[in-house]
Amino acid sequence: MASISKEPEHEQRDEEEAGANEDEDTGAQVAPIVRLEEVAVTTGEEDEDAILDLKSKLYRFDKDGSQWKERGAGTVKFLKRKDSGKIRLVMRQSKTLKICANHLVTSGMTVQEHAGNDKSCVWNARDFSDGELKDELFCIRFATVENCKAFMQKFKEVAESTEEKEESKEASDTAGLLEKLTVEEKKTEEKPVEKVASAEAEKEKAVEEKKTEDSVPSA
């Protein structure tokens, strides 16, 4: 009895034609219709050094709806300016590179673990990611507890170092002001002495003039 093939006939023909085409080489070269040129993309981070770089997911608290809303998943960084040394927190979405968070880390800022989740933490900031300064409450979640702790530790270090720099600048400004006041007080104290000396000289001059008048005989 002849065997009946379960494979459809048209599929057999397709395979035979495909096999024949694989052996055929026309040698034709197709030139691209549009030539794409490399374009340099600037992110605004060229003058900064990343001191922390972690994968995470960011949320912001919506006050109107009283709920957390996702801002995006991507990479959060602490970036330090090469010229001024100021440090900001920046986070971009992985695929679009859209900015989710963008704010300076300043003295007085605090970060704490999110209640009931040791992989998340929260903080308040004056954020500029939407092109205008807004007070935001952020929550960030990491894949591991270690990454969350590393983020919180770096956040605290930056805030504390900024506070120390501000205190040092304030102390320097105060010292300069006190020195200026001391010099001005010294000048003020010296002025009465000059006036007294001048008065004494005028008095002596008047006495001498009187003596001269007395010594001149009357006509």
Side-chain angles (χ1 to χ4, degrees):
M1 181 182 293
S3 62
I4 300 175
S5 173
K6 295 181 180 180
E7 189 174 4
E9 186 178 350
H10 69 274
E11 291 186 5
Q12 290 181 353
R13 287 201 305 268
D14 291 343
E15 288 182 1
E16 290 173 0
E17 291 175 1
N21 291 335
E22 287 177 359
D23 297 334
E24 186 179 355
D25 184 9
T26 62
Q29 294 182 354
V30 180
I33 298 174
V34 179
R35 185 178 296 275
L36 300 178
E37 295 183 1
E38 236 179 85
V39 178
V41 179
T42 58
T43 62
E45 302 173 10
E46 288 73 21
D47 296 326
E48 298 169 301
D49 293 322
I51 57 177
L52 188 73
D53 188 334
L54 295 170
K55 297 286 185 182
S56 56
K57 183 175 285 188
L58 185 70
Y59 302 84
R60 61 173 287 273
F61 189 73
D62 179 20
K63 296 177 182 177
D64 296 331
S66 297
Q67 60 182 337
W68 290 102
K69 288 190 175 181
E70 184 177 333
R71 288 283 283 180
T75 302
V76 62
K77 299 178 182 179
F78 285 108
L79 299 174
K80 184 176 182 179
R81 289 282 305 179
K82 295 177 182 178
D83 50 4
S84 65
K86 290 184 178 181
I87 300 174
R88 64 173 175 145
L89 181 151
V90 175
M91 182 169 173
R92 296 177 182 272
Q93 292 180 3
S94 296
K95 296 180 180 179
T96 63
L97 297 183
K98 181 182 177 182
I99 295 178
C100 307
N102 179 22
H103 64 79
L104 288 172
V105 180
T106 58
S107 62
M109 292 181 68
T110 59
V111 61
Q112 59 187 14
E113 184 179 298
H114 189 39
N117 193 334
D118 54 3
K119 295 180 183 178
S120 303
C121 54
V122 295
W123 74 96
N124 286 285
R126 293 274 288 167
D127 185 66
F128 195 70
S129 57
D130 293 329
E132 60 179 337
L133 283 174
K134 292 181 181 179
D135 290 321
E136 297 282 12
L137 175 60
F138 287 120
C139 176
I140 194 167
R141 188 175 68 192
F142 297 93
T144 64
V145 176
E146 289 73 22
N147 282 354
C148 185
K149 287 182 178 179
F151 174 84
M152 292 178 65
Q153 180 63 31
K154 182 59 65 177
F155 194 113
K156 292 175 181 177
E157 287 176 4
V158 172
E160 289 172 1
S161 66
T162 304
E163 185 173 3
E164 289 174 0
K165 288 179 182 178
E166 289 180 356
E167 288 178 352
S168 177
K169 184 178 183 302
E170 185 178 348
S172 178
D173 292 344
T174 303
L177 180 61
L178 289 174
E179 184 178 356
K180 183 179 178 181
L181 289 173
T182 302
V183 172
E184 290 178 352
E185 287 176 359
K186 187 176 180 181
K187 289 180 179 179
T188 304
E189 291 173 358
E190 289 174 350
K191 284 181 180 179
V193 176
E194 293 176 358
K195 289 182 178 179
V196 170
S198 178
E200 290 291 335
E202 290 292 334
K203 186 177 180 181
E204 289 178 1
K205 184 179 179 181
V207 172
E208 289 295 328
E209 288 177 353
K210 187 176 182 182
K211 285 182 180 180
T212 304
E213 291 175 358
D214 293 342
S215 61
V216 175
S218 59

